[in-house]
Amino acid sequence: MQALRSVRHLSKALSRGKATLPDLPYDYNALEPVICAEIMQLHHSKHHNAYVTNYNISSEKLQEAVSKGDVSAQIALQGAIKFNGGGHINHSIFWQNLCNPKDSGEPSAELQAAITKDFGSLESLKEKVSAAAVAVQGSGWSWLAYNKATKSLQVAACANQDPLEATTGLVPLFGIDVWEHAYYIQYKNVRPDYVKAIWKVANWKDVSQRFANAK
């Protein structure tokens, strides 16, 4: 039953209606040379769109199963809901986390103070989030997150498309997608190069706002 509650929590986190593919706040080529336009187009219009489509299909089936009181069907659907719903949530954050290199900026004074307290420096934060990203086995995400219980910043990694907040309670601030579709066309199998480069397109204004909202 805990798993079913988790699925229902995820459904509420998305919306009461159908999930929709969000528009990017920039053109597909806006992140070049860090992330090429071809990757962005495929990543957004194909991969993210597939998560949205499959989540909506699974969500409709779940609603039908709930209305019928079919617990077995609800259990069978939880994997698809978590995977596709998580993929939609993660990517919706990811697109906002990124921006044209010239607009990257720097953390707000409030966020910088928290970074200094919890990591010592911005460079140390980058090193720890990057190390977690490189260490993900297979596909997944590395996150800079806010822990409401300890009132501190924290590094976390999730496998596959597991959504951070719904599965751990941590609030996602900045995520690095380390599925191969996020970088392979450009960086081949050298994940560390992609992880190192992505900080050049980090949208610190967005990350700072997420931190302010999380507190």
Side-chain angles (χ1 to χ4, degrees):
M1 296 307 295
Q2 176 62 37
L4 290 179
R5 284 194 292 271
S6 178
V7 166
R8 288 168 184 162
H9 173 80
L10 177 59
S11 295
K12 290 179 181 178
L14 286 166
S15 68
R16 293 184 180 276
K18 287 188 175 183
T20 58
L21 181 68
D23 292 333
L24 293 185
Y26 38 72
D27 294 332
Y28 285 134
N29 64 357
L31 306 185
E32 291 184 339
V34 176
I35 303 178
C36 68
E38 184 180 8
I39 286 177
M40 291 300 295
Q41 184 171 13
L42 289 171
H43 199 171
H44 175 256
S45 68
K46 301 299 182 182
H47 292 282
H48 189 173
N49 194 46
Y51 296 130
V52 169
T53 299
N54 292 326
Y55 168 77
N56 286 332
I57 291 171
S58 300
S59 182
E60 288 178 3
K61 290 180 179 179
L62 178 63
Q63 291 172 25
E64 182 179 354
V66 170
S67 68
K68 292 180 178 179
D70 188 343
V71 177
S72 293
Q74 294 177 55
I75 293 172
L77 286 163
Q78 64 181 303
I81 292 285
K82 182 180 181 182
F83 180 78
N84 293 294
H88 176 47
I89 288 174
N90 291 340
H91 285 87
S92 295
I93 296 170
F94 186 60
W95 308 133
Q96 298 291 332
N97 273 173
L98 305 178
C99 65
N100 186 281
K102 66 180 178 60
D103 298 322
S104 179
E106 54 188 39
S108 65
E110 184 180 29
L111 177 55
Q112 183 59 60
I115 290 171
T116 300
K117 177 177 71 71
D118 296 324
F119 293 96
S121 68
L122 180 58
E123 286 308 309
S124 178
L125 177 153
K126 291 179 180 180
E127 289 174 5
K128 288 180 169 57
V129 176
S130 296
V134 173
V136 169
Q137 295 184 346
S139 300
W141 293 74
S142 174
W143 293 97
L144 170 65
Y146 181 69
N147 187 322
K148 291 185 176 182
T150 62
K151 300 186 185 305
S152 62
L153 299 174
Q154 184 174 326
V155 177
C158 292
N160 300 314
Q161 292 296 353
D162 288 3
L164 185 68
E165 190 164 11
T167 56
T168 70
L170 299 173
V171 181
L173 303 180
F174 178 78
I176 301 179
D177 184 351
V178 290
W179 279 69
E180 286 190 341
H181 64 237
Y183 62 89
Y184 200 86
I185 290 174
Q186 186 171 354
Y187 293 89
K188 307 306 179 188
N189 63 320
V190 191
R191 182 191 290 180
D193 286 355
Y194 156 73
V195 170
K196 181 179 179 180
I198 202 169
W199 293 103
K200 296 177 182 178
V201 291
N203 183 351
W204 285 110
K205 181 178 180 180
D206 180 70
V207 180
S208 297
Q209 187 60 57
R210 291 180 187 278
F211 174 66
N213 293 343
K215 299 181 67 179

